[in-house]
Amino acid sequence: MAEIRERDDAEDLAEGDPAVAEARHEPDVYVVEPLLPQRLRRPSDLLRFLVTLLIITAVILLSLVAKQTLNGLEMDVTEGTTLVPTVLARIATFLGGAAVLIVPAAFAVERVFHRDGLRVAEGLIAAIIGMVVSFLLGQWLAAGNLDDLRVLLTGNRDIEPLNTLLTSVIAYATAVRISRRPTWRALMWTMIALYIFALFSGRQITLPSAIVTVLVGMAIGYGTLYGIGSPNTRPPGNAVVAALRKLSFSPVAARRIEDDHQGSRRYAIGLKDGASLDVTVLDRDRQVAGLPYRLWRRIRLNSETRRRAIRSLRAELEREALMAYAAQAAGASTPRLLGTSEVGTEAALLAYEHLQTRPLDVLTDDEIDDDLLAQIWEQVELLQIQRLAHRHLTGDSIHVDDAGRVVLTDARSGEIAAGDLLLRLDIVQLLTYLALRVGAERSVASAARVVGPDALAAAMPLLQRIALTRETRSALAKNKQMLPAIREQIGALKPEIKIEEMRLERFRPRTLVTIIASALAAYFLLPQLGKVNVSLVTSANWAWTALALAASFASFIAASLMLRGFVPEPLPLWRTVLVQFAASFVKLVAPAAVGGVAINTRYLQKRGIPPALAVASVGASQLVMLIAHITLLLLFAYITGSSTATSFTPSRGLVVAVLAVAVLIVVVLGIPPLRRMLTKRLRSLFSNVLPRLLDVLQSPRKMFEGLAGTVMITIAFVVCLDACVRAFGLDIDFTTVAVVFLTANAIGSAAPTPGGLGAVEVALSAGLTVAGVPVDVATSSVLLYRLLTFWLPVLPGWAAFTYLQRHEAL
């Protein structure tokens, strides 16, 4: 947080900024630039706000986990307050209670006298928001929501969960940036500490509440600053001109040009002698822009970089200047750096000689001939010889001057004394970018003529999408065959070398998904297992329980047969069974109707089936499954007879819901724009399903396998539920159980919860109860059924998911 503080605006220092003052006395140069906004939303304020929220979350979670330790610590603090002499305690209470209001008021008066009343207004807005938030949160917790959090913050006493006054004061102090004034900061936090001591003495606050109150106040202050913005202290163009005069330049014209790719301001400066400069301005408040992305790349990508994710203004200036001088010393064609300077306290500039060039992005593909490609690689080779990594070899950093010579720009992203990995990443980036422009064959051939086949072969293991810049990755999304084509061209140059792909990623996003899914599985599974009545389970008939378990396992085989039946290409049976187990694991984090579809589609794609056909195969199986489900429901309902039908008479609410759905369908179909949108989406979803079904119909064996698997899934689940009911000593008609299952399964498929959690249990229990099963037996039967079909497959599902990922089957 200290490094981030360095990047914040300093309104107080800007008041006496000598560069700005000098610029006011030099009105002879008119700077053409857009009017700078009076207020800015600073990325540093947003970053502080998000970091504070993360700390609040971490503090609450740790406090909930370590309750005993926290209670002991709080008792020690409370006992410590009782050891303070009574006179001192009363003095501290008086000072804390009074000064916690007097100090902010005195600071406000001081700022008003300095004509900085706007800052005081920002603080008052933050204080009001803090008061409202703490009050509403207290009322919400007092209403019985999140009882564990209420007990944590109040100690189960009749006190405020968040102290309203303390929250408001800290929000105010944060919003007025009192931390910039050392004397006021020390005085303010001393008074806050005394006030918290007084609250502890009177048992009006708990230790977690004190910590969370301070953090919430800070978060509200930072959020207010970002929401309403801060005064813009960026030096304007005339201050940049004044700083150039200090470098002995004589500007006569200046205009703002397009910002660079990192958002830094750029100016074109005309000098008295007819020469021109390109000036890059580094603003202090921009130094944390893009920090989350840089941190994510730093954590995820193993690039051996020594650059810091958070950089001060001075460090950024020195880095770019050093890289520019190093590139010049290497003999590379780059704009010469002619000078650097600070612009007041809030910015710095780098003045480069102006070269009349065009970026490679604006050149047509026909203009990029073999000679130009060779020049590009020669410039990069000069950097590589001196161990300089450019790190941003894209079309906007490679320029061509009027004479056709290549010029490399944007040295700020580079690194000196780069390791082999960074140098090879430069080759990979340039190879891919040029291949997207002129094709893989010409890109590889031009590189081989300059840097040699060995260098390309060494870089080939890094030819991965994650290693490229954001712009290049976006372009590759439209041409997914480019990287394999480049590998093929390099392989043709060095066929005798066996290349193994290097692991650049420390972890993959799907690894995070696996971890999160595992945590959610444990979170949902353990409480569910804790609800099992052990005595009731031991009273169950284990023969029927074993039959139910066997039926549950048979459902996975049936699902595999169904998928195989609707895929004309051959699929191994037991590998497909493992995929169905993996789908049971994914259902923990996805609705029941979504997880299986996604896993099966991914599996078919990994088997070499094109994505469109994979989606069509899974869609065909789901369509047939829906038809079979409705058919079986009608069939079993007819077999069950009129008594069952009357027992399942829908309620008035259900009738209203059905009528509402019918009206909605009529409205959607009656409005042409909505009808066209629905038709378009259904056509895109099922456009390939019918041709896929026709392909399956050409093989009677496949069709039989698919239909048999579809029916077997339903029968297996009905047998499982029926066996669970009979395990508790109750005989019930099989067809009635089938109607209950099919109805509840439809409800569970429509529910947005993972695996239909909650909806399936309620629907099954209600259905069995309506069918005449006692409530306790119905609840126990449903619990056993869900244990066998939903919870027990989680562990083998996780093992199957991990195994299939390791073997690149998912």
Side-chain angles (χ1 to χ4, degrees):
M1 297 295 284
E3 292 194 23
I4 300 173
R5 184 176 296 115
E6 182 184 355
R7 291 159 183 77
D8 286 331
D9 56 302
E11 292 93 338
D12 303 317
L13 296 176
E15 292 175 1
D17 194 330
V20 176
E22 182 175 343
R24 293 180 183 141
H25 300 291
E26 298 289 347
D28 51 328
V29 177
Y30 177 73
V31 181
V32 180
E33 67 176 339
L35 185 65
L36 294 179
Q38 293 185 347
R39 304 186 70 82
L40 294 173
R41 287 189 173 93
R42 303 187 182 277
S44 56
D45 292 329
L46 177 61
L47 181 63
R48 281 197 180 95
F49 173 71
L50 296 177
V51 169
T52 308
L53 290 183
L54 289 176
I55 296 175
I56 292 173
T57 304
V59 167
I60 291 176
L61 292 178
L62 288 176
S63 300
L64 290 174
V65 171
K67 287 183 179 179
Q68 298 299 327
T69 303
L70 190 65
N71 290 337
L73 181 60
E74 185 172 351
M75 290 177 61
D76 293 339
V77 173
T78 304
E79 290 179 3
T81 59
T82 60
L83 299 177
V84 179
T86 305
V87 176
L88 292 179
R90 290 179 177 178
I91 293 174
T93 301
F94 173 76
L95 289 177
V100 80
L101 292 175
I102 294 174
V103 172
F107 182 81
V109 172
E110 190 261 351
R111 284 291 87 197
V112 170
F113 273 115
H114 284 82
R115 297 183 179 180
D116 195 11
L118 189 59
R119 184 187 302 196
V120 177
E122 296 169 359
L124 291 176
I125 292 174
I128 293 171
I129 295 175
M131 183 179 298
V132 172
V133 168
S134 58
F135 175 77
L136 293 180
L137 180 62
Q139 293 298 312
W140 185 65
L141 292 177
N145 300 292
L146 296 179
D147 195 58
D148 288 343
L149 181 59
R150 181 190 61 79
V151 173
L152 174 70
L153 297 178
T154 64
N156 220 9
R157 302 194 297 268
D158 188 19
I159 59 176
E160 291 181 303
L162 297 182
N163 187 276
T164 303
L165 176 59
L166 187 58
T167 305
S168 301
V169 168
I170 293 177
Y172 170 87
T174 304
V176 298
R177 300 189 187 276
I178 204 171
S179 59
R180 306 292 173 72
R181 311 289 295 277
T183 302
W184 285 103
R185 179 183 61 207
L187 185 60
M188 185 77 252
W189 283 104
T190 300
M191 295 303 103
I192 289 175
L194 289 175
Y195 183 63
I196 293 177
F197 171 80
L199 292 175
F200 267 113
S201 300
R203 293 181 60 80
Q204 294 299 307
I205 199 170
T206 64
L207 183 59
S209 177
I211 298 173
V212 173
T213 297
V214 171
L215 292 173
V216 168
M218 294 174 64
I220 292 172
Y222 292 133
T224 303
L225 285 175
Y226 185 76
I228 66 177
S230 300
N232 185 2
T233 57
R234 294 179 182 177
N238 57 351
V240 175
V241 170
L244 289 173
R245 286 197 175 97
K246 292 182 179 180
L247 296 173
S248 300
F249 294 111
S250 301
V252 294
R255 63 183 176 87
R256 175 93 173 263
I257 57 178
E258 185 180 1
D259 296 349
D260 66 12
H261 76 280
Q262 296 189 19
S264 297
R265 289 184 288 160
R266 297 173 64 236
Y267 291 87
I269 307 294
L271 301 180
K272 188 175 181 180
D273 59 3
S276 298
L277 299 177
D278 289 330
V279 176
T280 299
V281 178
L282 309 179
D283 291 301
R284 186 182 299 277
D285 60 80
R286 292 287 308 171
Q287 297 309 301
V288 296
L291 178 62
Y293 176 75
R294 293 201 300 269
L295 286 175
W296 170 250
R297 292 279 291 180
R298 177 68 58 84
I299 295 171
R300 184 183 175 192
L301 187 61
N302 181 23
S303 60
E304 296 183 355
T305 181
R306 289 178 289 277
R307 298 178 64 189
R308 302 178 67 178
I310 303 178
R311 302 181 293 275
S312 66
L313 178 63
R314 168 63 65 174
E316 188 72 8
L317 175 66
E318 292 175 348
R319 173 176 290 279
E320 183 168 349
L322 182 59
M323 185 64 191
Y325 288 135
Q328 293 174 24
S333 177
T334 60
R336 287 192 306 127
L337 179 62
L338 302 179
T340 62
S341 173
E342 291 185 342
V343 187
T345 59
E346 293 304 301
L349 66 81
L350 298 102
Y352 293 93
E353 67 171 339
H354 173 72
L355 300 176
Q356 192 64 37
T357 61
R358 292 185 299 162
L360 206 61
D361 273 344
V362 304
L363 269 64
T364 64
D365 295 344
D366 295 336
E367 293 180 273
I368 306 177
D369 55 21
D370 291 341
D371 178 63
L372 184 60
L373 293 174
Q375 284 192 62
I376 295 173
W377 283 108
E378 288 167 359
Q379 293 299 319
V380 173
E381 187 181 29
L382 290 174
L383 297 180
Q384 299 253 324
I385 291 173
Q386 297 299 320
R387 313 293 295 181
L388 302 177
H390 189 281
R391 302 298 306 279
H392 195 259
L393 291 170
T394 60
D396 58 355
S397 62
I398 303 173
H399 288 232
V400 180
D401 64 13
D402 294 338
R405 293 189 299 266
V406 172
V407 178
L408 300 181
T409 64
D410 190 20
R412 195 191 333 176
S413 302
E415 293 195 32
I416 64 171
D420 291 338
L421 180 60
L422 291 179
L423 298 179
R424 284 185 283 171
L425 286 175
D426 265 2
I427 293 178
V428 166
Q429 166 61 33
L430 185 56
L431 262 179
T432 307
Y433 171 75
L434 293 178
L436 289 168
R437 295 298 305 274
V438 301
E441 183 178 357
R442 287 184 61 195
S443 175
V444 173
S446 62
R449 284 193 293 268
V450 178
V451 301
D454 291 336
L456 296 182
M460 186 174 170
L462 304 178
L463 201 60
Q464 306 171 38
R465 194 171 179 272
I466 186 65
L468 306 173
T469 63
R470 185 185 299 182
E471 299 89 344
T472 308
R473 293 199 304 272
S474 299
L476 279 177
K478 304 174 184 177
N479 192 349
K480 297 183 178 180
Q481 299 304 315
M482 182 55 69
L483 291 183
I486 297 175
R487 294 191 188 98
E488 182 180 351
Q489 292 295 326
I490 298 176
L493 294 175
K494 302 287 291 185
E496 71 279 3
I497 296 181
K498 184 179 180 181
I499 303 296
E500 294 185 2
E501 185 173 303
M502 182 181 295
R503 180 75 179 270
L504 281 177
E505 294 176 287
R506 291 190 175 97
F507 62 89
R508 297 181 180 178
R510 66 182 183 183
T511 305
L512 289 180
V513 174
T514 303
I515 295 173
I516 294 172
S518 302
L520 289 175
Y523 178 79
F524 285 115
L525 179 60
L526 294 178
Q528 190 78 7
L529 293 178
K531 296 179 181 179
V532 176
N533 188 330
V534 178
S535 61
L536 187 61
V537 172
T538 54
S539 67
N541 187 310
W542 290 104
W544 286 111
T545 304
L547 176 61
L549 180 61
S552 175
F553 179 77
S555 67
F556 292 97
I557 300 178
S560 304
L561 294 176
M562 182 185 71
L563 182 62
R564 280 163 47 96
F566 291 100
V567 179
E569 294 80 4
L571 297 176
L573 176 61
W574 293 111
R575 175 65 64 90
T576 309
V577 172
L578 287 180
V579 172
Q580 306 313 309
F581 272 102
S584 69
F585 170 67
V586 175
K587 287 178 183 178
L588 285 172
V589 292
V594 175
V597 171
I599 285 291
N600 286 328
T601 303
R602 179 67 175 171
Y603 169 61
L604 295 182
Q605 291 179 10
K606 284 291 187 177
R607 295 292 302 179
I609 299 174
L613 295 181
V615 173
S617 295
V618 176
S621 65
Q622 294 297 311
L623 179 61
V624 174
M625 182 72 177
L626 175 63
I627 296 173
H629 190 98
I630 297 174
T631 304
L632 290 174
L633 178 59
L634 296 176
L635 176 64
F636 283 119
Y638 175 77
I639 296 174
T640 301
S642 58
S643 61
T644 304
T646 56
S647 64
F648 277 85
T649 301
S651 64
R652 182 180 302 174
L654 181 59
V655 172
V656 172
V658 171
L659 291 176
V661 171
V663 171
L664 179 62
I665 293 175
V666 171
V667 171
V668 170
L669 296 180
I671 300 176
L674 295 178
R675 184 174 64 247
R676 285 194 296 269
M677 182 182 68
L678 180 63
T679 305
K680 181 180 178 181
R681 295 202 172 188
L682 290 177
R683 185 183 296 115
S684 63
L685 183 62
F686 293 106
S687 58
N688 293 322
V689 170
L690 186 58
R692 200 61 168 167
L693 283 175
L694 294 177
D695 291 340
V696 173
L697 286 174
Q698 296 177 7
S699 173
R701 185 184 64 83
K702 281 284 184 181
M703 195 64 194
F704 174 78
E705 186 177 20
L707 292 176
T710 302
V711 176
M712 283 177 58
I713 291 177
T714 302
I715 298 300
F717 281 127
V718 173
V719 169
C720 181
L721 180 59
D722 183 70
C724 290
V725 175
R726 295 177 186 276
F728 291 96
L730 187 70
D731 290 335
I732 187 173
D733 189 67
F734 182 82
T735 56
T736 301
V737 176
V739 173
V740 171
F741 166 77
L742 291 169
T743 305
N745 188 61
I747 296 174
S749 299
T753 56
L757 198 63
V760 172
E761 286 83 355
V762 172
L764 286 174
S765 299
L768 290 176
T769 303
V770 171
V773 179
V775 175
D776 56 344
V777 176
T779 303
S780 302
S781 302
V782 171
L783 181 60
L784 179 59
Y785 168 78
R786 290 291 276 175
L787 181 66
L788 297 177
T789 58
F790 185 77
W791 294 112
L792 283 186
V794 167
L795 291 180
W798 171 79
F801 187 80
T802 304
Y803 172 83
L804 293 171
Q805 275 196 325
R806 189 181 300 118
H807 289 80
E808 298 294 330
L810 282 181

